[in-house]
Amino acid sequence: MSILHLIRHGQASFGADDYDNLSPKGIEQSVALGKALSQKESKFDYVIVGPHRRHIQTFEGIKKGYKFADLPDPVIDDRFAENQLMEIAQHFIPQILNSNKTTNEIFHEVPKEERHDKFLKLFHIVAKKWMNEELDLSKHNFEGFSVFRARIANTLKTIQDKMTDKPDIMVVTSGGAISGFYAEATNCSQEEIMKLNFGLKNVSISEFVVTTERFTLKAFNSSLIVQELETFI
């Protein structure tokens, strides 16, 4: 039996030209999580880190703050990549608004204090269309919702077949992937998957019990950092 500890990355650089970097607060969150895990005397037998920079930077922050024991060297695994909703939204938002401008150009014209809410509103629209397979993703070879769900299911099957001898497995990944694992454990609806994705806190931990035959939820979206540091981007 294994416990899969899925950690969402720290706050990324929302609104910047490149989202895939931790913000200063995201780095602070990651170090704080490492310190909290040390205080809990949490130990890990195996570490998997998704392929994005924000995943790797989050693990580096955790490692900096974690002093209880030596963390295993991480294995970078593409199967724990985030879904492509961010890239899909950036591509389709101009079409929804009937604009010839890029998504970044559109939002740079919006007052800074209004950008987050406006983006989330449009992101929800694109996400729903993506989940319902209503978007033509072929031109840019984007990953469809059913393909994403199959990737998560196949990754889980590999863990069940080959990794249940490792008692505690840390995985640093993204909210979409974590919501996908939650769906595998609970058979929840598409609407609930989307709601969960938007509600996951940065550097929160979701835990699952894994055996060769079972995959069950132990804890979801647990935060070990102080409330003042909590964010959702």
Side-chain angles (χ1 to χ4, degrees), residues 59-181:
F59 175 73
E60 289 171 349
I62 292 170
K63 187 174 181 179
K64 182 176 180 180
Y66 183 84
K67 304 299 182 184
F68 176 62
D70 290 333
L71 283 173
D73 291 334
V75 175
I76 308 299
D77 193 330
D78 289 346
R79 293 172 298 180
F80 288 91
E82 176 61 299
N83 59 47
Q84 293 182 295
L85 251 179
M86 184 64 73
E87 294 85 351
I88 291 168
Q90 288 176 335
H91 178 74
F92 283 99
I93 282 173
Q95 293 185 28
I96 291 171
L97 297 176
N98 293 316
S99 174
N100 292 322
K101 296 179 180 179
T102 68
T103 297
N104 280 346
E105 288 171 342
I106 291 168
F107 284 101
H108 278 134
E109 294 177 355
V110 176
K112 193 171 183 179
E113 64 274 10
E114 298 176 17
R115 288 177 194 170
H116 179 264
D117 289 345
K118 182 170 183 179
F119 179 80
L120 282 186
K121 182 178 179 180
L122 292 166
F123 190 89
H124 272 90
I125 294 170
V126 175
K128 191 169 183 179
K129 289 179 178 293
W130 176 67
M131 289 182 166
N132 291 329
E133 307 281 1
E134 296 173 4
L135 301 172
D136 181 6
L137 307 177
S138 58
K139 283 186 179 180
H140 295 272
N141 200 29
F142 287 131
E143 182 181 54
F145 180 66
S146 59
V147 177
F148 165 70
R149 287 297 306 275
R151 167 163 65 86
I152 297 299
N154 291 335
T155 302
L156 171 57
K157 183 68 166 57
T158 300
I159 293 170
Q160 289 179 304
D161 290 344
K162 299 181 179 180
M163 299 182 67
T164 52
D165 60 325
K166 298 172 176 60
D168 287 278
I169 302 171
M170 175 194 289
V171 180
V172 181
T173 182
S174 289
I178 294 170
S179 299
F181 280 98

Side-chain angles (χ1 to χ4, degrees), residues 184-196:
E184 291 299 318
T186 64
N187 293 316
C188 65
S189 67
Q190 292 184 9
E191 290 75 18
E192 191 172 356
I193 293 173
M194 185 163 67
K195 187 185 295 185
L196 290 168

